[in-house]
């Protein structure tokens, strides 16, 4: 910028009146000119009086900009005889590999690398969707049924009386009264053996699995997950640098082959109360086998008990953790399904000797807070609102579940199987292997009906079963039939050889 003055260069670019505050424009233009090398190191900037005159702006504006450039290291005014551009070239950076070539040119920049392989793998397999409502979004409770009044009353009380000490970071393990309340609740409804000390409050099962994999496994360790399984857990395991090995499930739950049993993993993640997504309950024999195998081979187990409160018919089997006398099982639960997912409160019940370590790690890694919410929840549980809410919505969900089953059987009779309908907030409508369930899902979503393709939950290529995960808990009765009609219209286009009403064409 020698034959051409800085003032000329700035005049071509400043947009006085329309381009935002002159101070900001001037600062941005000069700092960018320094970074891009248009203003070379050692160049003396014009005096503030001259530059202000040339640009027809207030001198104070230029003085302020120069001061800012000095503060941020773009320029120096150390000599007191003007303001000089600083040398910001990369080879001034200690140890920089970007050495100038002999001709003074910078060497070619190293291409900016993108996501790491595990980061890319995570992004390639995201299951998260911005659509979290509507028929038949799986895994969502009916948030409209939440007992707002009771919650608000308790919340107002907590803000009035306890706010100051609840506005800091959470102590390790979370709010003490909530840990007590959760321990008592789990003991009575899930036969979980715990003291409050063993309950670590988390932001949900995701965080519980994340901290458990970090504390129990080394990078590269093998983790068994169910096949099919929840994509969230699969992604957590893989993005922690662990090797997820999918283990098939049968009617009794996770079912490793003899060959798989011969190579024990470090950690096993299971959903014994309600296999996700297929819905079977792990038999007592299989539970005992898994516990014994883990004991003999030094494996840890995470029991993901995400929705066991909703069981229609038989009483749920007690938790796996309740059967464990070797201290190998971590029990992970959450209020996402019993109250509402956005609450982001869950818990991890940790074997006693590791309880302090886990509480400390959660505080260290995630710097927990939300003590007000945790205190409201503690009181909410203590006053019995959780159990009465679950009792009430269980009846409502049972009715909606029957409504959906009726809609399916009216349309398809026994030609399409319904799987996993005895518990939880969703069921699976099985489809023949030739049907592209991902395409059905895409087309249904285009028509306003949300389902998820079963094949997405499998890891082993070629072994996927086809079907649709359909949530019913949050779909009011009058919406079930019309939404199902829309979905069935899409399914029928994929079921070649089928009459739209479900009667096989060859019979008509
Ligand atoms: C099997 C399973 N585990 C865990 C979760 C997530 O739980 P949270 O919301 O507590 O992180 C889900 C959510 O749908 C799930 O289906």
């Amino acid at each position: 910028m020698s034959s051409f003055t800085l003032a000329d260069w700035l005049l071509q670019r400043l947009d006085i009146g329309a381009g935002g505050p002159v101070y900001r424009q001037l600062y941005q233009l000069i700092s960018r000119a320094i970074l891009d090398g248009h203003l070379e190191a050692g160049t003396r900037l014009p005096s503030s009086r001259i530059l202000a005159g040339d640009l027809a702006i207030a001198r104070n504006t230029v003085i302020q900009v120069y001061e800012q450039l000095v503060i941020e290291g773009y320029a120096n005014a150390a000599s007191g005889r003007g303001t000089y551009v600083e040398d910001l070239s990369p080879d001034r950076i200690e140890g920089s590999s970007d050495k100038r070539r002999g001709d003074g040119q910078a060497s070619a920049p190293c291409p900016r690398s993108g996501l790491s392989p595990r980061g890319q793998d995570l992004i390639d397999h995201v299951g998260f969707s911005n659509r979290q409502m509507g028929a038949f979004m799986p895994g969502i409770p009916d948030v409209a049924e939440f007992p707002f009044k009771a919650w608000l009353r308790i919340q107002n009380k907590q803000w009035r009386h306890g706010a100051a000490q609840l506005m800091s970071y959470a102590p390790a393990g979370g709010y003490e009264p909530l840990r007590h309340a959760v321990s008592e609740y789990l003991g009575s409804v899930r036969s979980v053996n715990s003291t409050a000390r063993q309950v670590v409050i988390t932001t949900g099962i995701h965080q519980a699995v994340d901290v458990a994999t970090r504390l129990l496994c080394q990078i590269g360790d093998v983790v068994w997950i169910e096949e099919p399984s929840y994509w969230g857990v699969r992604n957590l395991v893989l993005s922690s640098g662990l090797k997820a090995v999918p283990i098939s499930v049968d009617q009794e739950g996770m079912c490793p082959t003899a060959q798989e049993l011969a190579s024990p993993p470090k950690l096993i993640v299971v959903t014994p109360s309600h296999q996700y997504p297929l819905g079977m309950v792990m038999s007592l024999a299989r539970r005992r086998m898994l516990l014994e195998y883990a004991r003999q081979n030094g494996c840890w187990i995470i029991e993901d008990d995400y929705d066991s409160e909703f069981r229609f018919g038989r009483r749920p089997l007690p938790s796996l953790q309740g059967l464990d006398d070797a201290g190998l099982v971590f029990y992970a639960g959450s209020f996402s399904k019993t109250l509402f997912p956005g609450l982001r409160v869950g818990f991890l019940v940790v074997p006693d000797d590791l309880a302090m370590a886990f509480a400390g790690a959660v505080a260290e890694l995630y710097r927990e807070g939300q003590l007000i919410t945790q205190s409201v929840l503690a009181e909410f549980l203590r006053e019995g609102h959780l159990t009465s809410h679950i009792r009430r919505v269980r009846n409502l969900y049972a009715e909606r579940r029957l409504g959906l089953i009726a809609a399916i059987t009216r349309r398809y009779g026994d030609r399409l199987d319904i799987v996993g309908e005895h518990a939880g907030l969703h069921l699976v409508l099985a489809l023949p292997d030739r049907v592209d369930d991902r395409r059905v899902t895409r087309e249904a979503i285009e028509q306003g009906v949300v389902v998820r393709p079963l094949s997405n939950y499998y890891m082993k290529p070629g072994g996927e079963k086809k079907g649709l995960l359909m949530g019913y808990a949050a779909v009011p009765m009058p919406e079930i039939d019309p939404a199902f009609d829309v979905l069935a219209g899409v399914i029928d286009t994929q079921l070649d050889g089928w009459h739209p009403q479900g009667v096989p064409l060859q019979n008509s």
Side-chain angles (χ1 to χ4, degrees), residues 139 203-207 230 233 271 276 304 306 333-337 341 344-346:
T203 56
I205 295 173
H206 270 239
Q207 195 186 61
Y230 174 50
V233 165
T271 48
Y276 194 87
D304 175 353
Y306 62 103
S334 153
F335 295 100
S336 292
K337 315 292 177 191
R344 300 318 292 145
V345 181

Side-chain angles (χ1 to χ4, degrees), residues 31-330:
S31 58
R32 178 56 35 214
I34 294 173
L35 283 176
D36 292 348
H38 296 310
L39 281 172
E40 285 173 13
T43 306
R44 183 174 190 223
L45 296 177
S47 77
S48 55
R49 189 179 51 77
I50 290 177
L51 188 62
D54 288 349
L55 300 178
I57 61 175
R59 185 176 173 196
N60 249 349
T61 305
V62 180
I63 291 173
Q64 271 181 39
V65 168
Y66 281 8
E67 282 173 359
Q68 190 63 31
L69 291 168
V70 169
I71 288 169
E72 294 184 11
Y74 289 96
N76 71 70
S79 67
R81 275 183 279 117
T83 307
Y84 291 84
V85 172
E86 268 289 5
D87 186 357
L88 300 180
S89 56
D91 54 4
R92 284 265 324 264
I93 300 168
E94 205 74 10
S96 165
S97 58
D98 184 16
K99 297 279 175 252
R100 299 265 150 171
R101 298 189 328 216
D103 57 6
Q105 297 292 305
S107 53
C110 186
R112 175 173 164 265
S113 60
L115 298 174
S116 66
R118 65 178 155 152
Q120 191 58 53
D121 183 73
L122 172 70
I123 298 310
D124 289 345
H125 290 91
V126 280
F128 179 77
S129 146
N130 284 332
R131 255 204 89 164
Q132 291 292 329
M133 290 194 146
F136 295 102
M137 176 73 201
I140 301 297
D142 193 341
V143 293
E145 294 297 324
F146 180 72
F148 293 99
K149 268 198 190 148
W151 185 271
L152 264 181
R153 178 179 50 73
I154 301 171
Q155 183 170 284
N156 288 340
K157 192 175 81 186
Q158 299 303 80
W159 271 114
R160 268 200 309 275
H161 300 305
Q165 65 271 34
L166 297 175
M167 290 170 79
S168 188
Y169 293 114
Y175 185 63
E176 194 64 27
L178 181 59
R179 300 170 79 186
H180 276 277
V182 169
S183 172
E184 251 172 52
Y185 169 75
L186 294 177
S188 69
V189 302
R190 300 295 301 122
S191 308
V192 169
N193 287 324
S194 72
T195 60
R197 195 183 110 86
Q198 290 173 260
V199 176
V200 175
I201 303 300
T202 65
T203 56
I205 295 173
H206 270 239
Q207 195 186 61
V209 174
D210 191 40
V211 71
T213 51
R214 283 166 189 261
L215 291 197
L216 303 176
C217 302
Q218 266 311 351
I219 304 245
D221 277 349
V222 169
V223 179
W224 281 1
I225 61 172
E226 294 164 320
E227 172 82 333
S229 67
Y230 174 50
W231 47 262
V233 165
R234 171 202 177 277
N235 283 343
L236 280 165
V237 167
L238 288 175
S239 64
S240 296
L242 306 174
K243 189 164 181 286
V245 172
I247 306 289
S248 301
V249 294
D250 65 11
Q251 274 317 305
E252 294 184 66
M254 184 181 258
C255 179
T257 61
Q259 198 186 356
E260 286 162 342
L261 288 167
S263 308
K266 186 78 191 169
L267 173 68
I268 303 171
V269 186
V270 276
T271 48
S273 309
H274 186 222
Q275 201 280 331
Y276 194 87
L278 295 178
M280 58 282 268
V281 178
M282 187 182 280
S283 67
L284 191 56
R286 194 63 62 78
R287 285 169 196 242
R288 291 172 65 87
M289 183 284 274
L290 202 62
L291 286 170
E292 185 52 24
Y293 177 77
R295 197 181 62 77
Q296 284 181 14
N297 293 283
C299 320
W300 299 108
I301 299 178
I302 297 180
E303 174 176 19
D304 175 353
D305 207 22
Y306 62 103
D307 75 354
S308 61
E309 286 84 355
F310 300 108
R311 178 148 288 283
F312 312 108
R314 280 183 305 156
R315 279 178 60 77
L317 281 179
S319 65
L320 190 62
Q321 194 267 8
L323 293 174
D324 169 33
D325 47 21
L328 301 172
V329 177
F330 290 74

Side-chain angles (χ1 to χ4, degrees), residues 393-507:
V393 290
R394 190 190 284 134
N395 292 335
L396 190 69
Y397 299 167
E399 188 193 9
R400 293 172 178 178
R401 162 184 162 271
L402 288 179
L404 178 57
I405 293 173
I408 296 172
T409 40
R410 253 198 318 276
R411 181 90 175 197
Y412 294 110
D414 56 6
R415 288 179 294 259
L416 293 184
D417 284 339
I418 300 172
V419 179
E421 75 278 27
H422 299 295
L425 307 179
H426 76 276
L427 53 76
V428 176
L429 178 60
L431 294 173
D433 283 348
R434 66 174 186 283
V435 172
D436 180 350
D437 55 359
R438 294 185 175 120
R439 182 165 168 197
V440 172
T441 301
R442 274 196 307 276
E443 290 179 8
I445 289 176
E446 272 166 27
Q447 299 194 36
V449 176
V450 190
V451 289
R452 284 186 185 264
L454 178 60
S455 56
N456 271 9
Y457 294 77
Y458 287 82
M459 258 188 93
K460 285 184 207 154
E464 311 95 343
K465 295 267 173 271
K466 304 296 178 55
L468 301 174
L469 270 70
M470 302 179 62
Y472 46 77
V475 193
M477 286 300 276
E479 290 177 27
I480 292 180
D481 283 349
F484 187 73
D485 281 348
V486 173
L487 177 66
V490 177
I491 294 173
D492 287 341
T493 62
Q494 298 292 309
L495 286 175
D496 44 322
W498 289 71
H499 185 272
Q501 255 65 54
V503 181
L505 282 179
Q506 56 269 37
N507 292 344

